[in-house]
Amino acid sequence: MSVLVLGSIALDTVKTPVEEHSDLLGGSASYAAVAASFFSPVKLVGVVGNDFPESEFDFWKSRKIDSEGVQRVNGKTFRWSGEYSWDLNTRETRSVALNVFEHFRPKLPESYRKTDFVLLANIAPALQTHVLQQMERPRFVVADTMDLWIETTRADLDTLLPGIDLLILNDSEAREMTKETSLIKAGRRIRKLGPSYVAIKKGEHGALLFGEDEFFSCGAYPLEDIHDPTGAGDTFAGGMAGYIAGTVGGKVTFTNLRKAMIYGSVLASFAVEAFSLDRLRNLSIDEINERYETFKLMSQFEVPV
Ligand code: AMP
C-alpha cells in the first residue's frame, strides 16, 4: 500500500567541523519520501520554487515517488542552514528562509485522498492538520515534529495529536513537551494527548516505543563514520512509515512497529554516512536487509550455544 508524505523540500547549507556544502537537497519530506520508497510507493506533497533542480523530479519518478502533489511556484525554495559541533550531536540553525513555504496551503490531488498510510513529516502542525483533514479515513497516520513547534505553535500541535496514531519526536522534545525529566513518563503522557503510539528517538543512543501496555527499547546502529547527521530523524520516520505501509498492510500491531523502528534506524544509519541524500540515492534493499540482520544479532543478549 502507498504512503502519503507531507513535509518540507529544501535547499540546505550544512557545515560540520570538517566540511561545508551548500545548495544540497534537503527537507523533511525529501528524506522521508526516499526512505519510505524502499518499502512502498509514495505520494509526495510539498512546494518548491523555480530555483529547484528539475532533475529531482526525474529522480523521484525513478523511485516510484509520485510528485503530482508537489507544487512548483514562482519564487525561491525553502532554505535552511545548520552548523554541527564536534560531537555531531548538537546543531545550531544558522538561518531559515521560508520563501515559497510562507503561502503554502496544499490542496491534495484527488488521487491522493484515499491513501491508506500517511506520514506528516516535520512541518508546521497547522499544515499537517490541513492535509490530514483532506484525507478520507486513512488506516494509520504517523507525525513527526520538532522543538520549534512545541515552543511556538503548541495549540496547533495539541489539535493535531488526537487525529494521529504514532507521534515521533526526540528525547529533548519529549521532555520539553511534557515537562517530565523521565522519558518513560514523557512517553506515557504524550499517549494521553492522542496518539496510540509514541516513538522517542535518542540519537546515537537508540529509540523507545510506547503502546498501551507495551514498551520497546532499541539501540542505534553503531557507525564509525558519520559525515552529515542532517535528516536522520526524517529518514527514521520515512523508513518506519514506509515499512508499515508496504509490508504490514492490514492491522498495525506493536510487533510490526518494533520491526518498523529497526528499519527506520537502519535507514537513518545510512543517511548520515554522506551529505544530503547521497547515500540513500545509491542504497539497495539488500544492503538494508543485511544491516537489519546485523542489528538483530547485535541486540541479542541470550546467544544459543
Ligand atoms: P533533521 O536533521 O531530521 O532534524 O532534519 C533536517 C531537515 O529539516 C533539513 O534538511 C531542513 O531543510 C529541514 N528543516 C529545518 N527546519 C525546518 C522547519 N522549520 N520546517 C521544516 N523543515 C525544516
Side-chain angles (χ1 to χ4, degrees):
M1 279 183 227
S2 304
V3 57
L4 179 144
V5 176
L6 159 77
S8 59
I9 301 172
L11 294 174
D12 289 344
T13 297
V14 176
K15 186 173 190 301
T16 69
V18 282
E19 273 177 275
E20 176 166 3
H21 295 278
S22 50
D23 290 330
L24 299 166
L25 177 70
S28 58
S30 306
Y31 284 102
V34 173
S37 73
F38 284 99
F39 307 105
S40 68
V42 173
K43 293 181 188 310
L44 183 59
V45 184
V47 63
V48 298
N50 34 27
D51 55 350
F52 190 76
E54 191 61 41
S55 55
E56 256 353 280
F57 283 84
D58 298 331
F59 173 66
W60 288 330
K61 205 169 178 183
S62 76
R63 294 226 43 109
K64 293 205 170 53
I65 298 174
D66 182 349
S67 60
E68 194 192 338
V70 179
Q71 292 173 23
R72 186 189 267 285
V73 301
N74 239 336
K76 284 190 173 155
T77 301
F78 173 73
R79 280 180 184 263
W80 172 83
S81 165
E83 179 170 356
Y84 291 88
S85 55
W86 268 104
D87 67 358
L88 292 182
N89 259 334
T90 39
R91 162 175 96 190
E92 218 173 276
T93 294
R94 296 202 294 187
S95 65
V96 183
L98 288 179
N99 299 335
V100 293
F101 251 110
E102 209 164 336
H103 303 292
F104 182 50
R105 291 293 283 174
K107 186 170 178 293
L108 291 188
E110 216 36 62
S111 61
Y112 275 42
R113 292 175 193 247
K114 285 198 172 84
T115 314
D116 286 298
F117 292 83
V118 178
L119 170 58
L120 306 168
N122 177 34
I123 200 166
L127 264 180
Q128 293 175 313
T129 299
H130 175 73
V131 163
L132 191 54
Q133 280 169 344
Q134 296 173 57
M135 302 294 300
E136 290 176 22
R137 280 186 289 119
R139 280 169 193 244
F140 199 83
V141 181
V142 182
D144 190 3
T145 195
M146 74 189 289
D147 50 359
L148 175 68
W149 314 123
I150 296 168
E151 287 154 22
T152 61
T153 57
R154 179 60 195 264
D156 291 344
L157 190 56
D158 285 339
T159 304
L160 172 77
L161 293 180
I164 66 167
D165 300 286
L166 164 66
L167 181 70
I168 301 176
L169 70 180
N170 71 30
D171 44 5
S172 61
E173 291 157 356
R175 290 193 170 103
E176 191 174 357
M177 196 167 167
T178 58
K179 306 277 182 282
E180 294 282 3
T181 49
S182 150
L183 288 180
I184 307 295
K185 284 186 181 161
R188 291 202 186 118
R189 203 176 257 252
I190 296 169
R191 280 195 67 253
K192 293 207 177 103
L193 301 174
S196 308
Y197 303 99
V198 175
I200 300 182
K201 300 164 289 174
K202 301 185 292 171
E204 63 181 325
H205 304 297
L208 306 174
L209 180 66
F210 299 82
E212 185 165 13
D213 297 312
E214 299 128 318
F215 173 74
F216 176 57
S217 167
C218 69
Y221 190 87
L223 276 182
E224 220 167 286
D225 274 321
I226 298 179
H227 287 273
D228 173 16
T230 310
D234 312 312
T235 306
F236 175 89
M240 251 192 117
Y243 176 79
I244 298 165
T247 57
V248 173
K251 198 172 154 27
V252 179
T253 63
F254 197 78
T255 309
N256 304 138
L257 287 171
R258 285 167 71 120
K259 278 200 223 169
M261 204 155 92
I262 303 300
Y263 275 108
S265 305
V266 166
L267 262 300
S269 74
F270 283 113
V272 302
E273 285 182 345
F275 273 74
S276 182
L277 281 89
D278 289 0
R279 183 64 180 100
L280 297 180
R281 283 180 203 274
N282 59 29
L283 185 63
S284 72
I285 192 73
D286 288 344
E287 287 175 302
I288 295 171
N289 286 332
E290 196 183 316
R291 207 168 265 195
Y292 179 89
E293 289 304 322
T294 311
F295 213 125
K296 201 193 281 180
L297 288 174
M298 274 183 335
S299 310
Q300 279 180 353
F301 59 89
E302 282 196 16
V303 184
V305 276

